Amino acid sequence: MINATLKELSAALAAKSVSSAELAGQFLDRIAALNPTLNAFITVSPEKTLAEAAAADAARAAGQAGLLTGVPLAIKDIFCQQGWKTSCGSKMLDNFIAPYDAHVIERVRAAGLVTIGRTNMDEFAMGSANENSYYGPVKNPWDLAAIPGGSSGGSAAAVAARLAPAALGTDTGGSIRQPASHCGITGIKPTYGVVSRYGMVAFASSLDQGGPMAQTAEDCALLLNTIAGFDSRDSTSLERPTEDYTRELGNSLAGLKVGLPREYFAAGLSADVARVIDEAVAQLKKLGAEVVEVSLPNTELSIPAYYVIAPAEASSNLSRYDGVRYGHRAAEYKDLVDMYEKSRAEGFGAEVKRRILVGTYVLSHGYYDAYYLKAQKIRRLIADDFKKAFEQCDVILGPVAPTAAFNIGEKSNDPVEMYLSDIYTLSVNLAGLPGMSVPAGFAANGRPIGLQIIGNYFGEAKMLNVAHQFQQATDWHRKAPAL
Ligand code: GLN
């Protein structure tokens, strides 16, 4: 059953050909065997998982099972989950057991999904390679020398290696789409405001959005049905009618207009990725889509704008970690200020400190206008570019990242080089749009490559169907690494 999709698992559970406890056992065995190599999970608790599975089996026996009751789910270690360590990949929160559930956790628990474990991630979700975790790097299951992508690298590696059939991730500047691409799975970042951020450890609040990662677009749609929805505890959560994200699956793509941004196919794109995207576009044309060229002229500016705005918000959000109420506290200190300083110096890793420094700088008197305000203006221009592009097309297609996964250590000493690899994902967050990554092929060295689909605001259902139709015609999403 380890290769089954959520839909298949749901059917097997309904037919009683497998129990939730048996399923959880199979995945836990696989985690025990493979996690020492992959490092995809920070916390695994067979006892808690099996208790959840037993409860799901009991709910089913009592006739109270929903579509996903008893299905295992891996959870990025950024979502507060009552009774589970919620480290966010940081030494700062290594001792933090969440006392309450995030909104999305309440939702998946209510739906009866079973927590298979808590996945590794870049510290406070800052990174593109999952090398910034306090718990060590995650390995890419397709090639242990390669990064899995970040920051939801543990979630992506877990799904790719079949340690879990699906996972939750978060995407502030690409952290669902980019690891999904590098690990050959499907992942969606919803429109900003569709999924509540309540209980999700904050990185950059105006950009952060949780979302599903799974083998197929259909599974992502099912999970999005579970986690999306209004929550009054997040002031940016949107009050909209409930949507069924599977409702367009099955629609023909005939006449669908797909936009190819000129700027996404310029210098910097590797030959491998260019080939895979070309082939994917050809496939979608065969399915009836019409291709139009569009322009997103401010794409290049997404990197400086994001790397001003995200650190600015992070510097503010991370000021709460002072060693007083929770989190790491230095063992020895002279006075209160010394306690703050030492706790933060010891608790945060290098990349987090870099972001706090940059963020504090761009928000400081005398620099605010030159950097932060300017970045916000660019953000508006980027959103306007998309608005114009969507007058000509229904979805936008492009690469997720300029290259397939690079090697562990290859860019870790050069933050700017690392930031540049985010070029195709950041603008989607800056504009608040939905985007996803769909497995579309492999580089010559065997590492997976994803196709990015960008939808208009609240265009998730349409976007998911583009991915679904592509997956009906191809089998990239069914390929799994040999482990
Ligand atoms: N790579 C980007 C960063 O380091 C995005 C991370 C994310 O989406 N959480 O900030």
Side-chain angles (χ1 to χ4, degrees), residues 76 124-128 150-151 170-176 203 306-307 310 351 355 419 422 426 429:
K76 186 176 182 179
F124 286 104
M126 298 174 190
S128 314
S151 65
T170 62
D171 191 312
T172 302
S175 282
I176 287 176
F203 162 14
Y306 173 90
Y307 280 99
E351 182 61 25
R355 306 269 180 125
Y419 300 166
D422 294 342
L426 301 177
N429 301 74

Side-chain angles (χ1 to χ4, degrees), residues 30 47 53 58 73 160 165 237 252 263 270-271 300 302 319 332 381 383 390 394 426 450 462 471:
R30 208 167 152 80
E47 196 189 323
L73 182 70
S237 169
S252 156
E263 296 78 7
S270 74
E300 246 179 4
S302 64
S319 65
E332 281 164 41
L381 295 178
F390 279 118
D394 301 297
L426 301 177
K462 177 176 283 179
Q471 293 183 335

Side-chain angles (χ1 to χ4, degrees), residues 89-121:
S90 182
K91 179 180 178 183
M92 186 58 93
L93 291 175
D94 182 49
N95 62 5
F96 179 63
I97 311 289
Y100 68 101
D101 282 340
H103 181 251
V104 301
I105 300 295
E106 288 175 358
R107 288 297 190 86
V108 297
R109 301 283 299 118
L113 285 125
V114 172
T115 311
I116 203 74
R118 309 264 316 172
T119 56
N120 203 345
M121 55 180 286

Side-chain angles (χ1 to χ4, degrees), residues 174-236:
S175 282
I176 287 176
R177 290 160 289 155
Q178 187 255 24
S181 175
H182 287 338
C183 289
I185 66 158
T186 307
I188 172 169
K189 178 207 105 68
T191 306
Y192 182 78
V194 162
V195 172
S196 167
R197 293 180 294 104
Y198 176 78
M200 198 174 103
V201 177
F203 162 14
S205 309
S206 77
L207 301 157
D208 297 342
Q209 192 64 195
M213 305 169 82
Q215 288 177 38
T216 66
E218 187 173 30
D219 284 359
C220 286
L222 293 173
L223 275 175
L224 193 55
N225 278 350
T226 308
I227 64 171
F230 176 65
D231 172 25
S232 60
R233 297 164 301 183
D234 169 3
S235 61
T236 59

Side-chain angles (χ1 to χ4, degrees), residues 17 41 51 59 125 180-181 219 246 319 330 344 435 472:
S17 55
F41 286 88
S181 175
D219 284 359
T246 66
S319 65
R344 287 169 68 81
Q472 299 303 103

Side-chain angles (χ1 to χ4, degrees), residues 19-100:
S19 73
S20 175
E22 285 162 355
L23 262 189
Q26 285 179 22
F27 284 104
L28 286 171
D29 285 350
R30 208 167 152 80
I31 292 171
L34 292 171
N35 199 53
T37 308
L38 295 171
N39 200 24
F41 286 88
I42 293 175
T43 304
V44 185
S45 168
E47 196 189 323
K48 282 203 199 71
T49 297
L50 292 172
E52 287 186 24
D57 283 330
R60 186 171 300 280
Q64 289 160 353
L67 197 60
L68 298 179
T69 301
V71 170
L73 182 70
I75 295 177
K76 186 176 182 179
D77 210 25
I78 196 169
F79 293 100
C80 286
Q81 183 165 9
Q82 192 171 19
W84 289 79
K85 174 164 124 173
T86 300
S87 77
C88 215
S90 182
K91 179 180 178 183
M92 186 58 93
L93 291 175
D94 182 49
N95 62 5
F96 179 63
I97 311 289
Y100 68 101

